[in-house]
Amino acid sequence: QVHVVDTGGGVVQRGGSLRLSCEVSGDIFKINDMAWYRRTPGKQRELVAGITSGGLEKYEDAAKGRFTISRDNAKNMVYLQMMRLTPEDTAVYFCKADVQSGPNYEFEYWGRGTQVTVSP
């Protein structure tokens, strides 16, 4: 069994910063890609940023230059540093990890989400 716990959300003013954290634990052979998604009311969940096991990063256009994804492979953690936040960033943010519990198969695991609210 694999557990994903995403934390760090909160309420900030426009222009503020937040750092989200996500810890993966349990039956882990290897963690491949990790990513942060977000969902706002009435919209589908969308990719914000992703990072490979080797550290290759990718970002959704609105996140480029403001958000930074990073990971600590020794701790099985991924982070999202968010800066210059705007009300449009208000959403529930979810961590996703692609985990192998053995050498042959990979499954997606999701955190429960952490609410980020940016006030005008």
Side-chain angles (χ1 to χ4, degrees):
Q1 190 135 9
V2 174
H3 303 279
V4 178
V5 179
D6 37 30
T7 59
V11 180
V12 295
Q13 290 186 331
R14 176 190 289 270
S17 300
L18 277 176
R19 187 190 193 215
L20 306 184
S21 299
C22 171
E23 181 176 14
V24 183
S25 62
D27 190 10
I28 300 169
F29 175 77
K30 184 183 178 188
I31 302 175
N32 296 313
D33 292 354
M34 303 181 86
W36 288 95
Y37 285 72
R38 66 185 179 188
R39 186 177 66 213
T40 54
K43 293 186 178 180
Q44 289 187 335
R45 194 159 46 187
E46 63 176 4
L47 175 68
V48 177
I51 187 167
T52 66
S53 57
L56 186 64
E57 303 166 27
K58 62 179 178 182
Y59 297 93
E60 178 247 350
D61 286 345
K64 290 178 182 176
R66 298 189 301 126
F67 295 2
T68 302
I69 190 170
S70 60
R71 63 190 284 171
D72 185 332
N73 290 331
K75 295 181 179 179
N76 295 332
M77 295 196 68
V78 63
Y79 307 96
L80 186 68
Q81 178 68 49
M82 304 186 293
M83 301 174 63
R84 300 195 301 278
L85 287 160
T86 73
E88 289 70 34
D89 296 314
T90 295
V92 180
Y93 285 71
F94 298 87
C95 173
K96 181 180 79 74
D98 297 334
V99 181
Q100 292 177 244
S101 295
N104 298 322
Y105 298 103
E106 177 188 276
F107 293 96
E108 277 185 3
Y109 294 92
W110 292 83
R112 292 188 174 184
T114 184
Q115 176 71 48
V116 171
T117 301
V118 184
S119 61

